[in-house]
Amino acid sequence: MAETLSIGDKVTVSVFGQADLSGDFVLDAAGAVNMPLAGRIRIAGLTVPDAERRIRGALMDGYLRDAVVSLRVAELKPVYIMGEVRSPGSYPFRHGLSVLGAVALAGGYRVGDESLSVLKSELLLAEERERLLDASLQTLTARRLRLEAERDGSKQLVPPASGAGSVQILAGEQEILDFQRRAREGERDLLSQQVARLQSEKAALTEQADLAERQVDLTGEQSSEYGKLAASGHGLRTVQVEREREYARARSDAARLKAELAKNDTTLGELRLRLQEIDTTFMRRVVLELQETRQKILEVERSMPVAREIADGRRRRLAANGGSGTAADWTIRIMRQAGLAPVTIEAAFETALQPGDIVQITPRGGGAESSASAQADASMRPLAGLASRE
């Protein structure tokens, strides 16, 4: 299930070509962001793509002819871990974090035999390390596919043959690919339109310059012929002067048109160079990012066998000490902001967390469970308000 935006989220909204409309915004108590021109736009409870579409629709409702909107969460709220853990409190959220990883961040369980708890905590950390490496590999692989598509000029990402990779991650990279392609094509189209306009102007100027040169030849011949008449006493001096002035004006017009043609050629050359620079700069960035991403993939792939070996060692040690490492006797509740209202859900250790989640860990069993549940509900209510304000 895709993550949705909630009250208190800080988002960065980018509107292509509109720097004044772009910036960082915080969802207020009504779940809205207050943007220039469009005013308050409610996006709480929406996924990132849905929020982009709603903002785009608001901007195009009488303000912009077309809008390319990109939204990302700029600052993730922390998660809160409470109950029978060693270090209750708030911890920074990171993508891929599960309840099991949250327990590991909080130092493991607080009840039971000390040595067994230490072994379980070590196992939790090792398993979380495995999951994070796997998530990193999926993210980097999707990024590599997107960069290769940009390098090859493809419009669609091709999933790996192995079938590895998250559908959501691939969809996110596809959105980035589409956005960057639209932005680049838009910039190239603007320059290409200017090039076409200057080429049309050049054709017109060339025709005018040819006519001006013809005018120079004609007025020159007239001035020369009338000069001969004036020299033989059959022509007026004033008429000869006027002929020479017409000849000078014709040469001046021809020179001016040549200068405009030269200026047109210079501007055309600059625009063609900018078009070439757009492609060169884009390809240079893609190649550098692709090289960096491949290097990171190699580093993660080298780390994964070691992480698996460490986790397997922790499991063997835990089994040797009489523990299963599964911790099935726990009740897990998560209070989560769903749009404008908080909800409480029953969870398992593999449940993925979202920013701002409040996790309550309590032991199962008889009256203790009922008492712990009542205390959890009472303690989570004030924290829900705190999480929604951050």
Side-chain angles (χ1 to χ4, degrees):
M1 180 180 179
E3 296 181 4
T4 59
L5 301 173
S6 61
I7 296 172
D9 283 343
K10 183 177 182 181
V11 298
T12 297
V13 180
S14 300
V15 184
F16 177 70
Q18 301 290 335
D20 293 338
L21 302 181
S22 304
D24 292 336
F25 305 90
V26 179
L27 275 69
D28 59 20
V33 291
N34 193 8
M35 293 189 62
L37 291 183
R40 297 176 72 253
I41 305 172
R42 182 172 172 180
I43 59 176
L46 301 179
T47 61
V48 169
D50 290 339
E52 290 175 342
R53 284 189 285 271
R54 179 167 293 183
I55 293 173
R56 180 176 183 269
L59 290 174
M60 293 177 62
D61 187 15
Y63 302 107
L64 298 177
R65 182 183 301 174
D66 191 13
V68 179
V69 177
S70 174
L71 182 146
R72 66 177 178 84
V73 179
E75 186 174 305
L76 299 175
K77 292 181 288 187
V79 293
Y80 303 85
I81 308 166
M82 304 171 55
E84 294 298 322
V85 291
R86 292 186 176 277
S87 302
S90 63
Y91 293 86
F93 177 82
R94 54 190 175 188
H95 290 288
L97 183 65
S98 63
V99 172
L100 195 62
V103 173
L105 290 175
Y109 313 113
R110 190 170 60 188
V111 296
D113 178 69
E114 176 67 22
S115 61
L116 190 60
S117 297
V118 171
L119 287 176
K120 288 180 179 180
S121 297
E122 291 177 351
L123 176 59
L124 290 175
L125 289 172
E127 290 178 338
E128 182 67 13
R129 173 65 174 166
E130 275 190 286
R131 274 186 287 273
L132 287 176
L133 286 173
D134 184 63
S136 296
L137 184 60
Q138 292 185 21
T139 301
L140 290 169
T141 300
R143 185 184 304 168
R144 188 202 69 200
L145 292 173
R146 189 251 302 170
L147 291 170
E148 289 176 346
E150 290 180 345
R151 180 199 62 190
D152 300 336
S154 301
K155 295 183 179 181
Q156 190 70 31
L157 290 183
V158 179
S162 61
S166 168
V167 175
Q168 292 181 353
I169 295 176
L170 289 173
E173 292 294 335
Q174 180 66 54
E175 290 180 0
I176 295 174
L177 176 64
D178 294 340
F179 174 77
Q180 292 186 348
R181 178 176 54 81
R182 290 196 302 269
R184 181 176 169 222
E185 289 178 351
E187 189 175 2
R188 285 183 56 84
D189 287 344
L190 288 175
L191 291 176
S192 297
Q193 291 172 10
Q194 296 182 49
V195 168
R197 177 179 57 81
L198 288 173
Q199 287 175 335
S200 298
E201 291 179 0
K202 180 179 180 180
L205 287 172
T206 301
E207 184 178 356
Q208 292 179 31
D210 292 340
L211 293 174
E213 288 293 336
R214 178 61 178 161
Q215 183 68 21
V216 168
D217 294 339
L218 292 175
T219 53
E221 291 176 2
Q222 290 177 353
S223 178
S224 176
E225 291 297 329
Y226 200 84
K228 294 177 182 179
L229 288 175
S232 63
H234 296 288
L236 297 175
R237 177 62 180 168
T238 56
V239 176
Q240 181 183 3
V241 171
E242 184 60 30
R243 290 284 188 272
E244 291 178 352
R245 285 178 179 172
E246 290 180 3
Y247 182 48
R249 282 195 295 268
R251 286 186 297 170
S252 175
D253 290 341
R256 176 181 57 79
L257 290 171
K258 287 181 179 179
E260 291 183 8
L261 269 174
K263 182 179 178 181
N264 180 281
D265 286 336
T266 301
T267 306
L268 268 175
E270 291 175 351
L271 288 176
R272 291 192 178 104
L273 181 60
R274 285 178 60 187
L275 277 171
Q276 185 177 358
E277 286 178 349
I278 289 174
D279 295 334
T280 302
T281 303
F282 172 79
M283 191 56 63
R284 184 185 300 114
R285 177 189 62 79
V286 168
V287 170
L288 290 176
E289 288 188 13
L290 183 58
Q291 183 180 3
E292 180 182 353
T293 301
R294 286 172 172 169
Q295 181 62 35
K296 289 181 179 179
I297 289 175
L298 288 176
E299 293 174 359
V300 172
E301 289 176 342
R302 292 192 188 105
S303 301
M304 289 187 72
V306 177
R308 292 194 185 100
E309 181 62 29
I310 292 175
D312 290 341
R314 297 286 189 270
R315 294 187 190 97
R316 289 192 294 269
R317 288 175 56 195
L318 189 61
N321 281 273
S324 64
T326 59
D329 297 325
W330 296 91
T331 298
I332 305 169
R333 288 185 175 87
I334 297 176
M335 180 169 283
R336 174 173 296 167
Q337 194 76 19
L340 300 179
V343 295
T344 301
I345 60 175
E346 299 289 335
F349 280 103
E350 63 271 19
T351 301
L353 296 180
Q354 297 182 10
D357 279 355
I358 304 170
V359 184
Q360 177 72 37
I361 308 291
T362 54
R364 289 186 187 275
E369 179 182 358
S370 301
S371 176
S373 300
Q375 293 177 4
D377 292 339
S379 60
M380 289 172 76
R381 279 193 290 271
L383 270 178
L386 174 63
S388 65
R389 290 194 297 270
E390 288 194 355

